[in-house]
Amino acid sequence: MQKLNLPDVYLKIKSKENKLFIFDPFRKKDIMLTPEEWVRQHFANYLVHHKKYPISLTALEKELTLNNTKKRTDILIYNKQGTPEIIVECKASSVKITQEVFDQIARYNLELNARYLVVTNGLEHYFCQMDFENKKYVFLKDIPNYNI
């Protein structure tokens, strides 16, 4: 898998029936290793180990219903009150970050009302803080550290 623009992390990878699987400590099971999963695992580990978000408030591939269609957020971080704080949309490193990707996460946020949005392909990362009053988002240099 490609080296990403994220801190290195130890990931447990194994082969089963000629396919690679990665152990997901968030879902506590082996997941097929795809390029998108590679990015998702690296970014989730970045949030927990470098930004100090508790693993207990972190959900991967959380299902939501949008216009009667089931969708999944890649990474969802909750605040202490149990409401969504950060939504992260991960793409494979070969996927260019486009307006369409921002539109996808914005649609998810119509339902979730998270304060921060992140779009990443593991090489490029875009961090936004929602300005609900003015119905727009403001780009940030990085996502803030977890506030204890």
Side-chain angles (χ1 to χ4, degrees):
M1 288 284 160
Q2 183 174 3
K3 172 110 174 85
L4 302 176
N5 186 17
L6 288 162
D8 286 336
V9 61
Y10 173 74
L11 299 169
K12 296 178 190 174
I13 298 172
K14 62 182 165 185
S15 180
K16 286 191 229 174
E17 301 170 9
N18 289 336
K19 294 181 182 166
L20 289 178
F21 289 80
I22 188 167
F23 180 74
D24 179 345
F26 301 90
R27 292 174 275 184
K28 296 181 176 37
K29 64 181 182 177
D30 289 331
I31 304 293
M32 188 178 307
L33 181 56
T34 63
E36 183 177 315
E37 189 63 39
W38 182 249
V39 172
R40 184 171 25 250
Q41 288 297 320
H42 274 79
F43 205 88
N45 276 281
Y46 168 72
L47 289 170
V48 170
H49 297 292
H50 296 271
K51 295 305 209 170
K52 306 301 181 195
Y53 287 89
I55 197 167
S56 62
L57 298 178
T58 305
L60 272 58
E61 292 210 309
K62 181 75 173 159
E63 191 174 276
L64 72 138
T65 303
L66 196 60
N67 298 326
N68 296 319
T69 305
K70 292 193 183 300
K71 302 287 185 181
R72 292 180 186 267
T73 60
D74 284 309
I75 303 170
L76 184 58
I77 306 280
Y78 294 92
N79 62 24
K80 292 177 225 169
Q81 291 73 40
T83 58
E85 182 76 5
I86 303 170
I87 306 171
V88 182
E89 179 60 30
C90 300
K91 298 296 182 191
S93 58
S94 60
V95 175
K96 187 170 172 45
I97 303 296
T98 63
Q99 184 62 48
E100 189 175 313
V101 178
F102 280 98
D103 292 347
Q104 178 184 359
I105 199 169
R107 282 191 301 275
Y108 292 174
N109 206 34
L110 288 173
E111 183 71 26
L112 298 170
N113 293 313
R115 198 162 85 172
Y116 298 100
L117 305 179
V118 178
V119 175
T120 182
N121 64 7
L123 302 173
E124 296 179 290
H125 320 291
Y126 297 92
F127 307 98
C128 306
Q129 182 173 1
M130 294 304 301
D131 178 351
F132 290 107
E133 190 175 306
N134 295 306
K135 297 182 181 174
K136 65 178 187 173
Y137 45 80
V138 178
F139 283 93
L140 306 171
K141 285 185 136 188
D142 198 354
I143 204 76
N145 290 334
Y146 180 71
N147 187 4
I148 297 172

